[in-house]
């Protein structure tokens, strides 16, 4: 789930490594001093401990954080872990999570986008004004709003990549500018209500009530994962490169299946699978594929790792930068529309408050490094889940906004500390 | 020589602020020829390499590729012509694994998707021929030793079937065995009809594999030598500009002596 499928990251295992490699010379390509993993469960434990020591934390801290948060709030108030609350939570995290996906892309370059809050508000306002006030076709208005977010991102990218203004400054200026434009677009009314039968409201509120839908979705996801893993292992075996042993594939599939079907079961205990969650998950799978399986994704990681190295490898660094900021603007627009659908209005406060802080926190808490070149879109889901859980839990407990802000701030700091420390120990262990 | 050189530079100049790093630099490389480019630290060797590779395009001068005038303004242009470069600073992406670095910019694809299996397979073969030992082709290059990183950078230059290979001090960090492998590799490049420019401070290596030796001194050509009719001493004096430096050394000595006398009798 956290981006290290396909044996990336870990050392090769003798379990799957064919020994009949064509060897014109007696020199093995792989160092004999390499610490190789033992087979079976002991091997897993050993590798796990080694990874922990060398700072390859992956998504472990965030999974632990979610477990702790759920345990604490669950024991303080039983309604927190009720099917209804968890189902609501799965809808509430989508807006933040979508915007955080864009932030993940930007963080992979080692940059930051401080404008996504305003951009999300602006795009919600564009939709509301075009569709609700001016009666434009709702799909067209949706398209214009998303295209507007993309254009805003492209503008940021242009000033950053072509003019050379630091991204932090461009997007800080953008934050104010687009907020102003949003107020202008909303005009005197200030608030535009989005009717509940509007496409944007329905995208957020639709739930597939038939229990079969959630189970089928879980089954399809798990099935695709299993097929892809098996196919990959088979090709690797045929090509005589290390591959994941069958037992390990089964184990991973079982873990993923357990998570997917338990989630489906809980959602079905309430009303069923929410549409926004399904859209979010599909988008995550697609973007994860783009980042890890396409040339473009490889270019993003390369620029995040070594700009000059990427340039010398023939990669167009300005193109990568502009496109990544365009992705960020687009995701901010999509997230903004989901947030508008949630509250069924676009108002002067849209995209304001602590939204910007929350989405950056979500990306970092989820395990994407602030230092560039390391991360995965799944951190947007995990991080949004942490932030959303804290907010939901504190709302149930009746904790004031003041305390919520402080706790969210502290969690963000903790995530950044974990990131910095793990980077330090990765350096010490020669992995950064 | 009747054949047209695969790569020829004429009158290349490059200025960095107040430093004229290269002025009027000429160089020719034929197919199947190894040209060593030597010179002291700061002579402008890497600048020349980067001008050819499109990293820092020259201010003035002509680059001809197979007799045709070309302009190389970006690394991409050089790659498209068939020029592969191993940079002195390696220019690897620390966060990518060995396979990712080897194929960066020329990834193998299958149905438009990265073909990790075939890239991994080719990576292992390539590294094998250079007899490099690394923990795994799937670990980030940050965790490799200096020499291992250098071998990865060399292997990378061989990925895309180049016609000319530029090697900027490729053996600086390598052990005895790996240096021998790289020199073997340079000879194999020559056998396969590739043109090679090799930068090295090691005269033994230079004399072992080079066909011609171009000396660069303070950003200018300071002689071309044929390996068969040259001695190492001749090249070294061209590198250091022996006559000139003898003069300066003498002047420095006289100055020192005067100062010493001045201190003895106050
Ligand atoms: N990017 C740059 N900016 C400013 N000056 C530079 C730059 N690159 C090189 N120089 C200057 O150009 C001159 C030549 O440098 P170059 O790197 O080509 O030397 P070199 O022959 O490769 O030396 P070495 O053997 O130490 O690698 C030096 O005086 C250096 O300071
Ligand atoms: Mg140099």
């Amino acid at each position: 789930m956290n981006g290290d499928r396909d044996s990336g990251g870990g050392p090769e295992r003798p379990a799957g490594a064919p020994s009949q490699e064509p060897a014109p010379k007696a020199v093995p390509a792989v160092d004999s001093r390499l610490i190789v993993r033992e087979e079976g469960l002991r091997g897993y434990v050993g590798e796990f401990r080694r990874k922990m020591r060398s700072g390859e934390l992956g998504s472990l801290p965030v999974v632990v954080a979610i477990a702790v948060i759920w345990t604490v709030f669950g024991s303080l108030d039983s309604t927190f872990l009720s099917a209804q609350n968890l189902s609501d939570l799965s809808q509430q995290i989508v807006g933040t999570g979508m915007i955080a996906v864009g932030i993940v892309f930007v963080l992979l370059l080692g940059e930051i986008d401080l404008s996504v809050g305003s951009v999300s508000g602006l795009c919600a306002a564009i939709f509301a004004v075009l569709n609700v006030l001016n009666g434009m076709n709702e799909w067209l208005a949706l398209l214009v709003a998303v295209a507007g977010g993309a254009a805003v991102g492209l503008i940021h990218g242009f000033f950053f990549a072509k003019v050379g203004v630091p991204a932090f400054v461009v997007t800080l200026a953008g934050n104010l500018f687009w907020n102003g434009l949003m107020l202008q677009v909303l005009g005197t009314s200030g608030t535009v209500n989005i009717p509940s039968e509007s496409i944007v409201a329905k995208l957020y509120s639709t739930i597939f009530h038939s229990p079969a839908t959630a189970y089928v979705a879980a089954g399809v996801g798990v099935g695709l994962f299993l097929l892809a893993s098996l196919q990959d292992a088979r090709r690797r075996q045929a090509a005589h490169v290390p591959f994941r042993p069958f037992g390990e594939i089964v184990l991973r599939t079982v873990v993923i299946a357990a998570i997917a079907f338990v989630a489906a079961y809980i959602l079905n205990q309430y009303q069923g699978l929410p549409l926004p969650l399904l859209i979010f998950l599909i988008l995550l799978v697609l973007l994860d594929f783009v980042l890890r399986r396409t040339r473009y994704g490889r270019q993003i990681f390369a620029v995040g790792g070594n700009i000059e190295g990427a340039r010398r490898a023939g990669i167009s660094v300005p193109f990568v930068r502009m496109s990544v900021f365009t992705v960020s603007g687009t995701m901010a627009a999509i997230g903004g529309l989901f947030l508008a659908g949630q509250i069924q209005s676009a108002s002067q406060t849209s995209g304001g408050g602590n939204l910007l802080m929350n989405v950056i926190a979500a990306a970092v808490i989820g395990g994407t490094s602030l230092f560039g070149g390391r991360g995965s879109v799944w951190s947007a889901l995990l991080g949004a889940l942490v932030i959303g859980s804290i907010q939901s839990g504190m709302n149930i407990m009746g904790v004031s906004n003041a305390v919520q802000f402080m706790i969210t701030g502290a969690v963000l700091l903790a995530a950044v500390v974990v990131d910095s420390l793990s980077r330090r120990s990765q350096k010490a262990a020669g992995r950064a | 020589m009747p054949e047209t050189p695969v790569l020829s530079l004429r009158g290349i100049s490059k200025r960095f602020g107040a430093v004229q790093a290269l002025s009027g630099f000429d160089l020719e490389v034929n197919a199947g020829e190894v040209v060593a480019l030597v010179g002291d630290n700061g002579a402008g060797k890497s600048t020349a390499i980067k001008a050819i590779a499109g990293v820092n395009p020259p201010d003035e001068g002509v680059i001809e590729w197979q007799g045709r005038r070309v302009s190389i303004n970006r690394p991409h242009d050089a790659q498209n012509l068939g020029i592969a470069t191993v940079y002195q600073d390696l220019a690897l992406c620390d966060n990518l694994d060995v396979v990712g670095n080897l194929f960066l910019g020329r990834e193998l694809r299958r149905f438009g998707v990265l073909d990790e299996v075939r890239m991994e397979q080719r990576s292992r073969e390539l590294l094998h021929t250079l007899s490099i030992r690394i923990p795994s082709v799937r670990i980030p290059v940050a965790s490799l030793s200096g020499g291992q990183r250098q071998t990865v950078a060399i292997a990378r230059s061989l990925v895309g079937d180049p016609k000319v290979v530029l090697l900027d001090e490729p053996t600086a960090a390598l052990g005895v065995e790996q240096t021998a492998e790289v020199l073997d590799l340079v000879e194999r490049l020559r056998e396969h009809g590739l043109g090679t420019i090799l930068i090295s401070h090691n005269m033994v290596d230079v004399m072992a594999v080079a066909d011609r030796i171009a000396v660069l001194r303070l950003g200018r050509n300071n002689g071309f030598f044929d390996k068969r009719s040259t001695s190492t001493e001749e090249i070294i004096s061209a590198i250091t500009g022996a006559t000139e430096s003898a003069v300066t050394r003498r002047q420095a000595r006289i100055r020192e002596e005067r100062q010493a006398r001045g201190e003895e009798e106050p």
Side-chain angles (χ1 to χ4, degrees):
Chain A
M1 189 123 157
N2 65 335
D4 70 346
R5 222 168 60 78
D6 83 292
S7 84
E12 285 148 28
R13 292 136 216 155
S19 53
Q20 69 278 24
E21 203 184 318
K25 287 181 191 142
V27 187
V30 171
D31 195 323
S32 55
R33 288 164 303 177
L34 170 68
I35 311 127
V36 288
R37 203 176 84 191
E38 291 173 63
E39 277 178 66
L41 192 64
R42 277 190 60 193
Y44 261 109
V45 175
E47 179 168 273
F48 177 75
R49 283 162 70 180
R50 191 180 49 72
K51 279 196 169 183
M52 287 306 103
R53 269 202 303 273
S54 65
E56 274 176 83
L57 301 178
S59 47
L60 184 80
V62 62
V63 171
V64 170
I66 292 172
V68 169
I69 291 166
W70 286 24
T71 314
V72 169
F73 284 123
S75 58
L76 288 176
D77 193 320
S78 59
T79 49
F80 179 79
L81 288 180
S82 68
Q84 177 177 356
N85 193 49
L86 292 180
S87 178
D88 287 347
L89 184 61
S90 78
Q91 272 170 290
Q92 286 155 9
I93 61 170
V94 170
T96 317
M98 290 277 190
I99 305 176
V101 169
I103 293 289
V104 167
F105 271 71
V106 176
L107 286 181
L108 283 178
L109 290 188
E111 301 296 338
I112 190 79
D113 187 339
L114 299 176
S115 72
V116 287
S118 298
V119 175
S120 73
L122 171 66
C123 295
I126 291 176
F127 172 83
V129 168
L130 287 181
N131 173 237
V132 180
L133 296 188
N134 294 324
M136 182 189 268
N137 173 292
E138 55 183 7
W139 284 103
L140 188 60
L142 189 86
L143 204 69
V144 171
V146 173
V152 165
L154 185 62
I155 292 172
H156 293 158
F158 173 81
F159 279 99
F160 168 51
K162 294 284 188 186
V163 184
V165 186
F168 148 79
V169 180
V170 175
T171 56
L172 189 61
N175 187 42
L176 191 61
F177 185 92
W178 305 118
N179 193 40
L181 185 60
M182 177 189 80
L183 297 178
Q184 194 79 35
V185 167
L186 285 174
T188 46
S189 59
T191 302
V192 179
N193 287 319
I194 296 174
S196 61
E197 63 274 12
S198 155
I199 176 79
V200 163
K202 279 197 286 193
L203 273 179
Y204 180 81
S205 60
T206 302
I207 294 181
F208 299 107
H209 292 292
S210 148
T213 319
Y215 290 127
V216 168
V220 168
V222 172
L224 286 178
F225 175 80
L226 180 63
L227 271 182
S229 307
L230 288 177
Q231 166 77 9
D232 188 57
R234 207 174 303 129
R235 272 203 77 214
R236 288 179 162 271
Q237 190 171 17
H240 299 299
V241 294
F243 59 93
R244 216 182 270 294
F246 183 69
E248 198 183 322
I249 293 178
V250 170
L251 187 68
R252 294 167 78 94
T253 309
V254 167
V255 170
I256 288 179
I259 296 170
F261 281 99
V262 167
Y265 174 78
I266 293 174
L267 292 173
N268 280 338
Q269 289 304 100
Y270 184 53
Q271 289 189 323
L273 176 66
L275 176 63
L277 180 65
L278 184 64
I279 295 175
F280 187 35
L281 291 177
I282 291 175
L283 205 85
L284 285 177
V285 170
L286 288 179
L287 291 178
D288 185 49
F289 184 84
V290 167
L291 278 184
R292 294 194 301 117
R293 292 270 174 261
T294 67
R295 181 175 280 181
Y296 174 63
R298 185 59 50 87
Q299 292 178 343
I300 293 177
F301 278 95
V303 173
N306 181 349
I307 295 166
E308 182 59 19
R311 185 172 85 91
R312 292 192 196 167
I315 294 171
S316 166
V317 177
F319 166 76
V320 171
R321 286 177 161 172
M322 289 201 288
S323 64
V324 161
F325 275 87
T326 307
V327 169
S328 177
T330 310
M331 292 311 299
I334 295 173
L337 290 171
F338 275 97
L339 290 174
Q342 182 175 352
I343 56 170
Q344 302 204 344
S345 74
S347 74
Q348 296 184 332
T349 56
S350 292
N354 53 352
L355 178 65
L356 173 64
M357 230 43 242
N358 281 349
V359 294
I360 294 176
V364 177
I365 290 169
T368 292
S369 175
L370 279 170
F371 303 103
R374 219 178 305 271
S376 124
V377 287
W378 293 101
S379 37
L381 171 66
L382 295 171
L385 202 53
V386 170
I387 299 274
S389 300
I390 292 175
Q391 283 181 340
S392 157
M394 289 195 292
N395 283 339
I396 290 174
M397 308 284 306
V399 178
S400 72
N401 261 351
V403 177
Q404 286 198 22
F405 283 2
M406 289 193 281
I407 292 186
T408 310
V411 170
L412 172 60
L413 183 65
V416 177
V417 167
V418 168
D419 182 28
S420 306
L421 290 182
S422 89
R423 187 178 146 92
R424 198 196 293 170
S425 54
Q426 279 183 342
K427 274 207 166 134
R431 285 194 164 254
Chain B
M1 223 172 274
E3 61 176 324
T4 36
V6 56
L7 176 71
S8 100
L9 311 180
R10 274 186 280 115
I12 300 289
S13 296
K14 178 76 194 177
R15 188 187 176 108
F16 293 110
V19 182
Q20 188 71 39
L22 273 183
S23 32
F25 173 65
D26 297 332
L27 189 68
E28 283 186 357
V29 195
N30 294 302
E33 185 187 40
V34 179
V35 178
L37 183 59
V38 296
D40 260 341
N41 292 130
K45 307 180 295 296
S46 298
T47 307
I49 291 291
K50 286 180 186 165
I52 304 171
V55 173
N56 288 327
D59 304 329
E60 281 168 46
V62 178
I63 301 179
E64 279 179 5
W65 180 258
Q66 294 170 337
R68 198 165 42 83
R69 188 173 170 161
V70 291
S71 61
I72 302 178
N73 296 316
R74 304 177 296 159
H76 196 70
D77 299 340
Q79 279 175 11
N80 280 351
L81 290 174
I83 299 173
T85 314
V86 177
Y87 297 97
Q88 192 169 8
D89 58 5
L90 308 183
L92 299 172
C93 290
D94 278 350
N95 60 330
L96 295 184
D97 61 20
V98 174
V99 178
N101 269 288
L102 285 178
F103 286 88
L104 190 59
R106 47 167 61 92
E107 294 85 359
L108 301 180
R109 287 184 299 178
R110 187 168 163 262
F111 313 123
V113 178
L114 295 183
D115 189 350
E116 295 285 355
V117 177
R118 215 147 54 82
M119 289 197 279
E120 186 164 333
Q121 205 179 10
R122 284 242 22 225
S123 303
R124 299 179 135 241
E125 288 165 11
L126 264 172
L127 295 174
H128 209 124
T129 59
L130 292 167
S131 76
I132 183 192
R133 293 177 217 203
I134 53 168
S136 156
V137 291
R138 284 296 176 192
I139 56 170
V141 295
S143 50
L144 299 183
S145 78
Q148 289 170 334
R149 292 162 61 88
Q150 192 150 37
T151 325
V152 170
I154 294 169
R156 172 154 102 180
S157 69
L158 305 178
V159 166
D161 265 336
K163 293 198 180 65
V164 168
V165 180
L166 316 177
L167 301 166
D168 194 348
E169 301 195 27
T171 58
L174 296 190
V176 183
E177 188 189 345
Q178 281 72 25
T179 301
E181 293 291 346
V182 170
L183 297 181
D184 277 358
L185 170 77
V186 170
E187 274 165 359
R188 274 205 303 276
L189 295 180
R190 170 169 47 210
E191 279 159 30
H192 285 108
L194 277 72
T196 307
I197 299 180
L198 171 71
I199 295 181
S200 176
H201 287 295
N202 185 329
M203 280 306 133
V204 181
D205 292 354
V206 167
M207 294 308 269
V209 294
D211 300 307
R212 277 190 310 126
I213 296 145
V215 177
L216 199 54
R217 178 165 163 69
L218 301 176
R220 293 174 189 279
N221 288 105
N222 201 21
F224 293 91
F225 301 87
D226 194 313
K227 198 257 306 269
R228 281 158 301 184
S229 55
T230 322
S231 69
T232 309
E233 289 70 34
E234 243 180 299
I235 294 168
I236 290 178
S237 62
I239 292 174
T240 56
T243 46
E244 189 190 321
S245 77
V247 174
T248 48
R249 234 177 276 135
R250 188 179 143 75
Q251 282 171 342
R253 202 178 56 230
I254 293 171
R255 214 178 305 124
E256 252 170 55
E257 282 169 6
R258 277 206 197 115
Q259 271 173 2
R261 247 179 279 131
E263 280 166 17
E264 276 166 16
E265 20 189 288

